[in-house]
Amino acid sequence: MSDSKVKLFNNPYGQATFDLFRQDDLAFADKSLIIKYLDDKGTSKYPVLLRPRRFGKSTFVRMLKCYYDISYQDRYEELFSGSKIYDANLASHNSYHVINFDFSAVSTGNLNKLLTSFFVAVADGISDFKRRYKDFVFDYSALDRTDAATLFTEFAIAYKDYSDSQKLYVMIDEYDNFANEILSKDLDLFLNITSKDGFLKSFYSAIKNQAMNTIAKTFITGVSSFSLDSLTSGFNIALNVTSLDSFNEYAGFTEEELEILIPKLVDVDQLGVNPKEIIARMKPVYDGYCFSKRADKTVYNSSMCLYYLTKVRQEQSFLNPEDYLDPACDQNGYKLEQLFSLADKATVDLIIDRYLQGEPFYLQKLSENINLNQVKEYSREQLLSMLYYLGYLTINPNSTSDNGLSLVIPNQFMAKLFAKCTIEFRFRKNAVFSSQKLNISSLLAVGDDLSSFTASCTEFLSLIMSNQVLYHMNEMALNLVLYAKLEELAKDDFEVRLQKSLRVVGKGEKFADLLITVNRGMCNECIYLIELKYVTKKEATEKSSESALKKAIKDAMDEVLTYKSAIDFKGRNVKAYAMVFAGPDCIYCQQQ
């Protein structure tokens, strides 16, 4: 790829400084029209908008700052001409004194370090305000450097002397970032800071006190709602607007936005594909997020998309999105496991069973104020709500009614995190599961006869089903439990992949159940491509010509042949097998 042939924009991955986007020729999605909804008289003046990590919240906050702040008035044309909000010509642009606080870098050490770090974050926001407004005078050097509430109160008093009009707009980005980190490391400290006497309540109480005659508006972003109780108990005029359909697309990318972005970031002609083909490949891995039951669009994780497009541009190749995941996202499922550890075993088992059955999760309503100071463990409603806020689950608008919500796993990336978590909570700690072994000698020998392997699978599945390691067996459970056992054997020259993404010409992205690579990187490397199907023992004995067994065999044969034709396998030694299980018994295994 040569920039001399195609003039490309720079990729904004990891950058949130909206005021530098045009100066640095950065491509970005135009989210400016959301400002109309924030300006609407029916919208709260104190909204809280939550979204999962790495979705572009900080960029949105910086855009709001550039749009509303008086100090950016001379740059309005430069920053917003050509944008969607520019044509709206709202009177609110550059009409407020904006102070913004970013709590993403607050230290998560002991309480004293936390208080000092939080104070510094507030002081940084004030220093930035002073740099933009040179005539604003405020000296806080004598204040206690662990008391952010007093610092803000004194700032507000100084601001009131500076401006006799109520034009202060307070923006807070990542209000709960440090609390999330503390929760994963130190539950006692988390309970301390989110208690009714914690410093968070004092800080937000100080903001509320100034909202009466100094603060005109606030805008708060974050990830989850478990700190909202502390926030709203002190700042109870704040309103969680996370699930309003008007804000569904405020963070993340829509397909329409990606169609505009992709040609700016990669040379599609050099790749030999069009933006729609790239989007189609990204969709099952990064898309699927919906934050309102009345929304008509889903959004992609923006950071994942930008990271992937960076790699495509660097490698000058149409890469597999599944192999290029943003390292800043939770790829090992640790945070999901940590969430599960805060709920009782029965609740976790219920959710894992629902996942293994491939069924949605139904919820009457989302929990908005989740307070671990009031309950020892997450209830089912609270755990599902947290899974939604953190992006592990999302709203399924197609099966959601006014009487409740249907939550689903948004994409393959999140499905695999659920798989890892299920392995950890349901399998790894179970003695029956751990004691059994699978016979992979025929695979290691690159043989064609897999009878010894299938026999060991039958023995293994019979044991875990009889001991109720799995309460219900179905195709998803079958895939996962066999993968979990094979993964135990993984080493440099032996790799197993679950639901591996494959590019099949004319059929888009497909996902193979199991992909086992033996002698990886050697001259005799071989890939075993296995498509698994499951029927009950009753279904396997049906005599009808249209029996479930015959259909399962045919589907497995057809699918594995389709997967074998994937571009990913060009020039590689692939052995493709259709395997069908009836209960724990492997009753069909044929090479295709």
Side-chain angles (χ1 to χ4, degrees):
M1 178 171 55
S2 172
D3 284 1
S4 63
K5 294 181 181 179
V6 177
K7 176 60 179 175
L8 298 175
F9 284 75
N10 294 315
N11 193 309
Y13 171 78
Q15 301 187 51
T17 49
F18 180 83
D19 51 322
L20 297 179
F21 277 14
R22 291 197 172 183
Q23 177 181 312
D24 295 343
D25 289 328
L26 293 169
F28 62 92
D30 184 2
K31 298 288 187 181
S32 62
L33 205 57
I34 302 293
I35 292 171
K36 284 187 67 176
Y37 300 117
L38 289 175
D39 270 18
D40 189 284
K41 291 181 179 179
T43 301
S44 170
K45 291 183 178 180
Y46 315 107
V48 177
L49 258 172
L50 307 175
R51 285 295 182 271
R53 292 185 68 248
R54 311 295 293 175
F55 256 75
K57 299 184 296 295
S58 296
T59 300
F60 187 82
V61 172
R62 303 305 192 277
M63 180 191 70
L64 293 185
K65 177 181 177 181
C66 292
Y67 184 83
Y68 284 114
D69 190 55
I70 293 171
S71 70
Y72 283 92
Q73 188 166 20
D74 292 343
R75 299 185 64 188
Y76 179 68
E77 293 290 328
E78 170 199 348
L79 297 176
F80 290 97
S81 61
S83 68
K84 295 174 182 177
I85 198 62
Y86 183 83
D87 295 333
N89 195 29
L90 301 180
S92 60
H93 81 79
N94 305 116
S95 61
Y96 294 91
H97 294 107
V98 174
I99 183 166
N100 66 292
F101 304 117
D102 181 357
F103 293 148
S104 63
V106 173
S107 169
T108 57
N110 58 41
L111 180 58
N112 190 62
K113 288 181 179 178
L114 174 61
L115 293 174
T116 302
S117 181
F118 191 83
F119 181 97
V120 169
V122 176
D124 282 347
I126 293 172
S127 296
D128 174 66
F129 187 89
K130 291 172 69 176
R131 282 190 292 270
R132 283 180 285 118
Y133 296 98
K134 303 293 186 184
D135 53 342
F136 174 70
V137 179
F138 175 54
D139 181 10
Y140 54 86
S141 59
L143 293 181
D144 178 356
R145 296 186 66 83
T146 63
D147 188 356
T150 299
L151 173 62
F152 181 81
T153 299
E154 293 297 325
F155 162 79
I157 293 171
Y159 172 79
K160 190 65 176 174
D161 292 336
Y162 174 73
S163 173
D164 57 5
S165 60
Q166 191 173 350
K167 284 289 185 178
L168 185 63
Y169 199 147
V170 178
M171 296 181 183
I172 299 175
D173 189 20
E174 301 285 7
Y175 91 95
D176 61 339
N177 182 275
F178 61 93
N180 274 302
E181 291 301 315
I182 291 170
L183 180 59
S184 66
K185 300 173 183 177
D186 189 339
L187 180 58
D188 289 338
L189 179 57
F190 174 82
L191 295 175
N192 184 326
I193 68 171
T194 58
S195 69
K196 64 179 181 179
D197 299 319
F199 76 93
L200 282 178
K201 179 181 178 181
S202 298
F203 176 74
Y204 287 107
S205 291
I207 295 178
K208 178 188 174 182
N209 292 338
Q210 299 305 320
M212 302 301 104
N213 55 13
T214 305
I215 297 173
K217 301 178 76 172
T218 66
F219 183 81
I220 299 174
T221 76
V223 172
S224 63
S225 65
F226 64 64
S227 297
L228 273 180
D229 187 74
S230 294
L231 186 157
T232 54
S233 62
F235 185 46
N236 55 15
I237 55 177
L239 183 65
N240 185 357
V241 298
T242 295
S243 297
L244 293 183
D245 56 330
S246 54
F247 296 117
N248 182 60
E249 300 153 35
Y250 108 87
F253 293 149
T254 64
E255 290 196 4
E256 292 82 359
E257 289 167 342
L258 282 171
E259 282 194 57
I260 296 171
L261 275 174
I262 287 173
K264 294 180 179 181
L265 295 173
V266 298
D267 187 343
V268 292
D269 292 332
Q270 185 272 336
L271 289 175
V273 295
N274 60 50
K276 287 186 180 293
E277 289 176 285
I278 296 177
I279 291 170
R281 194 155 203 209
M282 294 164 65
K283 185 177 181 64
V285 186
Y286 306 151
D287 186 28
Y289 297 95
C290 179
F291 301 100
S292 171
K293 59 185 180 182
R294 295 179 179 82
D296 57 1
K297 292 180 181 178
T298 57
V299 293
Y300 292 64
N301 180 306
S302 52
S303 188
M304 284 280 196
C305 292
L306 292 174
Y307 180 81
Y308 169 70
L309 293 171
T310 296
K311 293 298 181 181
V312 169
R313 181 166 170 170
Q314 290 173 345
E315 300 294 330
Q316 303 179 36
S317 179
F318 190 16
L319 304 171
N320 185 343
E322 190 180 55
D323 295 330
Y324 294 88
L325 301 173
D326 180 5
C329 294
D330 175 26
Q331 294 188 40
N332 59 16
Y334 170 74
K335 291 184 178 177
L336 182 59
E337 290 179 21
Q338 193 269 338
L339 274 180
F340 278 8
S341 70
L342 292 171
D344 67 273
K345 185 179 184 301
T347 297
V348 173
D349 281 341
L350 190 67
I351 289 176
I352 286 177
D353 282 343
R354 196 81 174 181
Y355 154 70
L356 287 173
Q357 293 164 27
E359 296 293 335
F361 304 87
Y362 290 101
L363 195 60
Q364 193 67 32
K365 66 180 182 64
L366 292 167
S367 295
E368 292 195 356
N369 299 327
I370 301 173
N371 191 338
L372 288 176
N373 282 281
Q374 297 175 355
V375 293
K376 291 184 178 180
E377 297 174 317
Y378 286 135
S379 66
R380 175 183 174 277
E381 178 183 285
Q382 290 170 330
L383 181 55
L384 288 175
S385 296
M386 286 299 295
L387 292 173
Y388 160 77
Y389 285 122
L390 294 172
Y392 298 108
L393 296 176
T394 196
I395 293 173
N396 178 8
N398 297 323
S399 60
T400 292
S401 68
D402 290 336
N403 297 324
L405 292 172
S406 171
L407 301 179
V408 294
I409 298 172
N411 49 46
Q412 284 287 329
F413 172 59
M414 286 302 175
K416 289 187 177 182
L417 291 188
F418 262 87
K420 290 179 180 179
C421 206
T422 298
I423 290 170
E424 184 63 29
F425 276 82
R426 181 62 63 83
F427 303 147
R428 292 271 186 253
K429 299 174 182 177
N430 187 284
V432 174
F433 176 90
S434 301
S435 64
Q436 288 298 109
K437 303 294 180 184
L438 295 181
N439 185 345
I440 60 169
S441 58
S442 57
L443 301 176
L444 296 176
V446 193
D448 293 328
D449 181 4
L450 299 189
S451 58
S452 60
F453 173 64
T454 58
S456 69
C457 289
T458 293
E459 182 181 355
F460 167 62
L461 291 172
S462 297
L463 185 62
I464 65 168
M465 288 181 72
S466 63
N467 283 274
Q468 290 191 319
V469 178
L470 280 175
Y471 303 142
H472 305 283
M473 177 65 84
N474 58 19
E475 193 168 309
M476 183 179 290
L478 173 66
N479 273 267
L480 188 57
V481 74
L482 291 180
Y483 164 76
K485 283 305 296 181
L486 288 165
E487 190 190 34
E488 291 180 343
L489 305 171
K491 53 184 180 178
D492 287 346
D493 59 352
F494 183 88
E495 179 189 57
V496 58
R497 300 286 294 272
L498 173 72
Q499 288 291 299
K500 176 70 171 70
S501 175
L502 302 170
R503 184 185 172 202
V504 180
V505 175
K507 297 189 178 181
E509 209 73 8
K510 298 294 182 180
F511 294 87
D513 285 342
L514 290 177
L515 207 66
I516 304 169
T517 305
V518 298
N519 304 321
R520 189 172 64 164
M522 302 178 187
C523 60
N524 61 337
E525 178 182 277
C526 180
I527 297 173
Y528 285 89
L529 170 64
I530 299 176
E531 182 64 17
L532 299 167
K533 294 296 177 185
Y534 177 82
V535 295
T536 64
K537 286 191 173 183
K538 180 180 179 182
E539 289 171 329
T541 58
E542 290 180 353
K543 302 300 182 183
S544 167
S545 60
E546 297 298 321
S547 70
L549 176 58
K550 288 184 178 180
K551 183 179 184 305
I553 292 173
K554 183 179 184 307
D555 288 347
M557 291 171 58
D558 291 345
E559 288 172 22
V560 79
L561 285 173
T562 297
Y563 301 158
K564 190 178 180 180
S565 68
I567 292 175
D568 310 65
F569 297 139
K570 185 177 180 180
R572 306 182 75 177
N573 180 22
V574 178
K575 297 178 183 288
Y577 289 80
M579 294 176 64
V580 179
F581 285 78
D585 302 322
C586 182
I587 58 175
Y588 180 89
C589 178
Q590 292 293 327
Q591 187 173 2
Q592 305 301 314

